[in-house]
Amino acid sequence: MSSLISPVTRALTISGALAAGSLAVAHAAPALSALNAVRPWLTPELCGYGDPDHIALTFDDGPDPASTPFFLRELDRAGVRATFFLLGRMLVRDPGLGRELVAAGHEIAVHGYEHRCLLLRTPGAVRDDIARALDTISDLTGTQPTWYRPPYGVLTAGTLAAARELELTPVLWSTWGRDWTAAATPDSVHRTVTRRLAGGGTVLLHDTDCTAAPGSWRSAFGALPRLIDTCRARGLRLGPLREHRTSPVGLAR
């Protein structure tokens, strides 16, 4: 009997390891969509593609009283509206600023409550974070968000399930400015965004440095007027995701 225990035990151990590995792969596989180089081919529905004559302008991580008002004034001056993906923990610090975004005609969306990589969190923790952010944003701004963008653009199977349950549509971006680094400048942000800029695309910028290099928001702010001019010179309209298509861009519910 003892001679059979060892092979059986080994087989069960191997099977368990394979099962655990399969679960880990299933959990993490959606995270590949965070890679700019592969997202258009792997998950084009997450790129935020919309009408070919329109660019969706989006900002992450705010609202921040130290920086967001600068963006609000510049967008108002240019007559442009955008989508702001808010962090719940930032909004509770200044609810009035969130309401100011809404009053100015901007669209509010969910970025989570905390800014943590979801690969390292359980499905339950992910669901709780998104739900807490959704409730906070809805309560403090009086709007019901439609869109969800995970921190770092990293999705998991649990994230997609939670978004579907909470009736949020995941959306990432088609081009970004890499405006969170200490080395970023207005010129580098504009150059990086426009390298992949095309009609129907979604632009990712940040209106705060709360999760980035101190002062890095100034690179995005400095690039904003030039980016608006570039889009208009190319005959492209700029606006929020809600104007990007007649129905949400994202995964089917």
Side-chain angles (χ1 to χ4, degrees), residues 1-14:
M1 183 69 175
S2 60
S3 62
L4 294 176
I5 293 177
S6 182
V8 170
T9 301
R10 283 199 298 269
L12 289 174
T13 301
I14 292 170

Side-chain angles (χ1 to χ4, degrees), residues 55 68 82:
I55 295 292
T68 302

Side-chain angles (χ1 to χ4, degrees), residues 8-250:
V8 170
T9 301
R10 283 199 298 269
L12 289 174
T13 301
I14 292 170
S15 297
L18 290 174
S22 297
L23 288 174
V25 170
H27 168 73
L32 291 173
S33 62
L35 302 175
N36 284 356
V38 303
R39 184 166 58 254
W41 310 103
L42 186 66
T43 54
E45 70 275 11
L46 288 173
C47 290
Y49 293 134
D51 295 331
D53 67 339
H54 189 267
I55 295 292
L57 181 61
T58 70
F59 296 91
D60 282 8
D61 293 358
D64 187 337
S67 52
T68 302
F70 289 91
F71 290 84
L72 277 173
R73 287 193 289 270
E74 179 58 32
L75 291 169
D76 183 64
R77 182 198 66 78
V80 172
R81 301 295 176 263
T83 299
F84 286 80
F85 285 85
L86 305 186
L87 288 174
R89 69 174 177 83
M90 294 295 289
L91 180 60
V92 296
R93 297 179 181 180
D94 196 336
L97 185 52
R99 291 190 288 270
E100 187 177 344
L101 285 168
V102 174
H106 299 290
E107 183 178 32
I108 303 303
V110 177
H111 197 37
Y113 196 89
E114 302 288 348
H115 197 278
R116 298 176 183 171
C117 181
L118 303 183
L119 276 176
L120 305 178
R121 309 194 74 186
T122 66
V126 167
R127 197 266 181 206
D128 289 347
D129 181 88
I130 300 173
R132 184 183 182 191
L134 177 60
D135 289 345
T136 299
I137 292 169
S138 299
D139 291 345
L140 296 183
T141 68
T143 64
Q144 187 66 28
T146 299
W147 309 99
Y148 170 68
R149 177 180 289 157
Y152 307 105
V154 175
L155 289 162
T156 65
T159 308
L160 296 176
R164 187 176 298 109
E165 177 190 345
L166 297 169
E167 299 187 346
L168 292 170
T169 299
V171 63
L172 300 183
W173 58 87
S174 61
T175 186
W176 61 8
R178 297 188 65 84
D179 53 341
W180 60 87
T181 69
T185 66
D187 283 344
S188 75
V189 171
H190 179 267
R191 184 170 59 253
T192 304
V193 169
T194 55
R195 185 179 300 137
R196 292 177 177 267
L197 185 68
T202 291
V203 173
L204 164 62
L205 296 173
H206 295 80
D207 60 306
T208 174
D209 60 5
C210 71
T211 65
S216 58
W217 66 267
R218 296 181 183 279
S219 63
F221 176 69
L224 186 57
R226 188 176 169 193
L227 175 60
I228 292 171
D229 289 344
T230 296
C231 289
R232 288 174 170 168
R234 296 184 184 183
L236 299 171
R237 298 178 294 115
L238 270 170
L241 280 163
R242 66 179 175 227
E243 297 175 1
H244 208 35
R245 265 190 174 179
T246 55
S247 61
V249 181

